[in-house]
Amino acid sequence: QMQLVESGGGLVQAGGSLRLSCAASGRSFRRTGMGWFRQAPGKEREFVATINWSGGSTYYTDSVKGRFTISRDNAKNTVYLQINSLKPEDTAVYYCAAGRTLSLSAVTTDYDYWGQGTQVTVSS
């Protein structure tokens, strides 16, 4: 019922920047909290950032604070993740997810819908 499509990943050098996008359809995007997660090879999926329905509240994992910015454009049914000062440890598949409520969440079990992921690879 809910479809999420990520884009914007790629191969970048350390210190560079990317902007990831997640386009949503099939659900009331404007009343849904959103999140970004990432998963590196051989590791569990981890929380990155979340934003509430209006964009007025955000929360980040410690390792990305000051470098990553989550935002949303409800008129375009799209959530973004701006990632700056990239490090090799940021290399992962990045997933966006739609929650069941209006609010923030940092845990995977609070999200019902997931995109297919977009690969971010950071070279040293």
Side-chain angles (χ1 to χ4, degrees):
Q1 186 176 1
M2 178 67 156
Q3 293 86 44
L4 302 171
V5 180
E6 302 96 334
S7 62
L11 175 63
V12 297
Q13 65 182 28
S17 299
L18 283 173
R19 189 178 75 157
L20 308 184
S21 298
C22 175
S25 63
R27 194 170 180 265
S28 181
F29 177 81
R30 297 186 182 193
R31 298 192 297 170
T32 303
M34 300 291 293
W36 284 98
F37 295 77
R38 65 187 181 186
Q39 189 166 20
K43 294 194 172 183
E44 197 158 326
R45 190 169 300 185
E46 66 171 342
F47 167 74
V48 175
T50 183
I51 189 166
N52 78 333
W53 71 277
S54 69
S57 296
T58 59
Y59 179 73
Y60 302 89
T61 192
D62 286 344
S63 64
V64 308
K65 286 179 180 176
R67 300 189 298 119
F68 287 29
T69 303
I70 187 171
S71 62
R72 67 192 297 160
D73 185 343
N74 287 344
K76 299 175 68 175
N77 286 356
T78 302
V79 63
Y80 304 96
L81 186 68
Q82 178 69 41
I83 50 181
N84 299 326
S85 301
L86 279 160
K87 304 175 180 180
E89 55 262 41
D90 295 321
T91 295
V93 177
Y94 284 70
Y95 299 90
C96 70
R100 295 184 295 273
T101 70
L102 301 169
S103 59
L104 306 172
S105 178
V107 296
T108 58
T109 51
D110 285 339
Y111 293 89
D112 285 338
Y113 303 99
W114 297 81
Q116 85 287 353
T118 185
Q119 177 72 50
V120 173
T121 303
V122 184
S123 61
S124 59

